Structure formats: C-alpha cells, structure tokens
Amino acid sequence: MAARAGAASARSKAAIPQLAWNAVRPAPIVLVTGPEDVLAERAITMLRDFLRTEDPSLEVSDLEADGYRRGELLTLASPSLFGEPRLIRVSGVEKSSDDFLLDALDYLDQTAEATTLVLRHRGGQRGKKLLDAIRAGTGAGIEIACAELKRDADKQDFAVAEFRAAGRKISPGALRALVAAFSDDLRELSAACRQLIADSPGDISEAVVAKYYGGQVETNAFAVADAAIAGRYGEALIALRHALDSGADPVPMVAAFAMKVRTMAKVSGARGGGAQLASSLGLAPWQVDRARRDLAGWTDAGLGVAIEALAATDAAVKGAERDPVFALERLVGVIAARGRP
C-alpha cells in the first residue's frame, strides 16, 4: 500500500505530461508504467503505428532490460547511414540490470535525434532513480500510466475508446453485454472489440454482440444479476433462460445474485469515502463504488425481501423444490421489482 501511495505521489509531482494509454504520442522518451499489460501493449502499438505512418522506413528494435549488456542501447540509437527514424522498445525495466540503468541514465542527458525510446516498467522500486529522472523532465519524456482496470465503468471506457479509435460507435446495451461477457479478462475484451471492428460494418448493436458472443453473454451469471438488480426484468429473464438453455448450473447463478445483493446490503446506509468504507467492510474500493450504483432505486426493506428470497431460492435449487428453474425465475422477478410486492 505504501509503495503504491509513493508511486502515485511521484506521478503527481512529475514535471512531464501524464497521459492516458489512448492519448500516447511521440516523444524522445516514452515511459509506460503500471501493471495493466493490455493497456501498455495497446499504447505501444498505437505509438508504433503512428510513427510508421509518419515514416514507413521506421526501424523498430527490442531490448530486454534484465538481460541487457552494456552499450546495446547506445548502439541501437546511433544514427544510421540513411537516417531512418528509430523506435527502441525496452521491456522489463522493473527488472533492469545495472548495466541498463547506467546506460539509460547516460542516454537521458543526450537523447538521439529521430529516436523514440519506450521504457516499460510494471511497478516496484527497481529503476526508481531512472524513473525519477524522467519524471523530473530529463530527456523531455512523457509518461503513459496503465493502472489495472477493476471497475466495469473503466472497462466500458476502454471498449468505447477501442471503437472510437476505429471511428466506430457501440450502443449502450451492446457495450454492457460485451463487457459483461468478458469482464474477467481485459485481453479477451480487447480481442472481442477488434473482431467486431474488423468483421461488422457500421455501428455495433446488441444484436451484433449477441451474434458473435451470444454464448459468453448468455451464460454469464453476473450479467443476469446485473440486469435484474437494475430493474430490467425482461432482459434479465431472457438472459436467464438463454443461460439455462446453454447448460448453466442454477446453483452458481444463485451465488452470483447472493454475492451482489449481500455487498449491496453491507454498503447500504454506510457513510464515508470509498477507500475508508472498503477497508472497514472488508471490500475493495471498486466493489463499494459498484454497490452504491446498484443501490439506486432500492430501499432497506426491499433488500431484506431480496435476501429472504435468495435464501429460499438457494434451498430450492439444492433440492428443496422440484423445479429449480421456476425458483430462479421467481427470484429474478423479486430482484427486478427491488423487493417490492
């Protein structure tokens, strides 16, 4: 926790531009920091494509900081006979060898003309002197911060940026369905966005997402729970039936509902900032933020009814009733009504 706070403090005091992954631009030094590899890869790829558009003769080289040998960086950055622009990508700066750190610090004092040096640092204290020098402005660099995306809202923003970069739009319903289908894996979400962009002309609708990724959407228990909690009864019921038709087990589906409703009940009525409240409740800050959004339209009495319905449904799908599907549909109705009669 202290290390993350220190990193955030260092970034806040940086003298260089701090840019989002999709706002990357050329600079003599491009420092790409943070644990989210998908965002880092997208930023570095976008930078390469931009530089190649500017000059197709771009020469691209890769180095690994942990296996680096003295002099390699300066050799790659040296002007060539024909003066082609250069992109040097260095991975694993958080595991840098001493030789790399020495050469990189020397390079900052005299960067090579028409050369872009990308430094990928995932986190930690190794290489701090180098990062501090870059953030202080030595080398005229920029920093691309790639924090881990935990909230659905952040993942939706990521997907929207992917479509916007391609000059495309996605409807709100399609966006929710796509993120729900790939909420556990940002790399798969990115790949899904690129496939839709490549294969589907025009704007992306819910029907398009269902056509390509219906299986993932339909069998996602949390997507059913999200729709019901938001009061979208018809959408939740259809998603539930598709999920069951696709072979989903009723027991984990009830568990998904229970996880979300119990988190809502913990957060309901609690006061305080997200981080402070998360610590006191044993939750992550993003879970508190999500629960607060989910609570819109709910009352304490409604939460009580929902919790009782969850207990009855849990027993029903584990053998207390003959028809677990009916029990699930009944639960969806109670949740979508937010516990009201």
Side-chain angles (χ1 to χ4, degrees):
M1 182 69 72
R4 288 197 297 271
S9 175
R11 286 195 295 272
S12 67
K13 297 176 182 176
I16 61 174
Q18 310 282 299
L19 305 178
W21 67 273
N22 57 338
V24 65
R25 59 175 173 78
I29 307 292
V30 179
L31 176 61
V32 183
T33 58
E36 190 54 81
D37 289 327
V38 174
L39 300 186
E41 291 166 11
R42 292 291 292 120
I44 294 170
T45 298
M46 290 170 65
L47 178 62
R48 181 204 63 193
D49 293 346
F50 178 85
L51 291 172
R52 194 163 275 163
T53 300
E54 292 285 296
D55 191 332
S57 68
L58 177 73
E59 184 177 310
V60 180
S61 303
D62 291 297
L63 291 173
E64 294 181 4
D66 55 343
Y68 179 87
R69 295 182 180 179
R70 195 74 190 268
E72 289 180 314
L73 173 59
L74 302 181
T75 299
L76 289 175
S78 298
S80 68
L81 180 63
F82 301 103
E84 301 96 340
R86 302 199 172 183
L87 172 62
I88 304 173
R89 303 178 296 198
V90 184
S91 62
V93 177
E94 73 280 358
K95 302 179 290 184
S96 296
S97 68
D98 291 339
D99 284 346
F100 176 77
L101 293 175
L102 289 171
D103 277 1
L105 286 165
D106 287 343
Y107 181 81
L108 293 184
D109 292 326
Q110 193 170 3
T111 57
E113 186 177 356
T115 296
T116 299
L117 175 63
V118 175
L119 303 176
R120 174 72 178 112
H121 191 288
R122 299 188 77 255
Q125 292 298 305
R126 183 64 175 167
K128 183 178 184 300
K129 184 177 180 181
L130 174 62
L131 269 60
D132 287 347
I134 295 170
R135 288 170 175 157
T138 308
I142 62 174
E143 181 173 1
I144 309 299
C146 300
E148 184 179 359
L149 301 188
K150 295 181 177 180
R151 301 185 308 159
D152 282 353
D154 293 332
K155 294 171 185 176
Q156 289 180 6
D157 289 344
F158 167 78
V160 168
E162 291 279 79
F163 288 105
R164 184 181 295 126
R168 306 285 289 282
K169 294 181 180 179
I170 180 170
S171 72
L175 180 63
R176 285 195 302 268
L178 188 63
V179 171
F182 299 102
S183 60
D184 294 332
D185 194 322
L186 191 64
R187 191 173 298 280
E188 288 189 2
L189 175 60
S190 178
C193 291
R194 292 198 298 273
Q195 182 179 13
L196 289 172
I197 290 167
D199 296 348
S200 302
D203 294 345
I204 306 301
S205 65
E206 291 179 65
V208 172
V209 173
K211 174 183 176 182
Y212 281 85
Y213 303 112
Q216 288 94 327
V217 174
E218 290 159 3
T219 58
N220 189 299
F222 285 99
V224 180
D226 286 342
I229 287 168
R232 301 192 298 271
Y233 174 67
E235 178 183 331
L237 193 59
I238 291 171
L240 172 64
R241 288 170 178 167
H242 282 312
L244 294 171
D245 288 344
S246 300
D249 188 330
V251 174
M253 298 200 72
V254 175
F257 273 96
M259 182 182 299
K260 294 183 72 67
V261 172
R262 286 169 184 162
T263 301
M264 291 164 60
K266 282 185 179 181
V267 173
S268 178
R271 299 290 181 267
Q276 179 184 3
L277 187 58
S279 178
S280 66
L281 296 177
L283 301 170
W286 68 267
Q287 290 176 302
V288 173
D289 293 340
R290 178 59 189 265
R292 282 176 164 166
R293 292 197 303 272
D294 288 341
L295 281 165
W298 282 82
T299 64
D300 288 345
L303 283 171
V305 171
I307 291 171
E308 290 179 356
L310 277 166
T313 308
D314 184 63
V317 300
K318 292 177 180 177
E321 295 184 16
R322 292 184 177 181
D323 191 344
V325 173
F326 174 74
L328 271 172
E329 291 177 346
R330 182 177 61 205
L331 175 66
V332 167
V334 172
I335 300 293
R338 295 174 173 138
R340 298 183 182 92

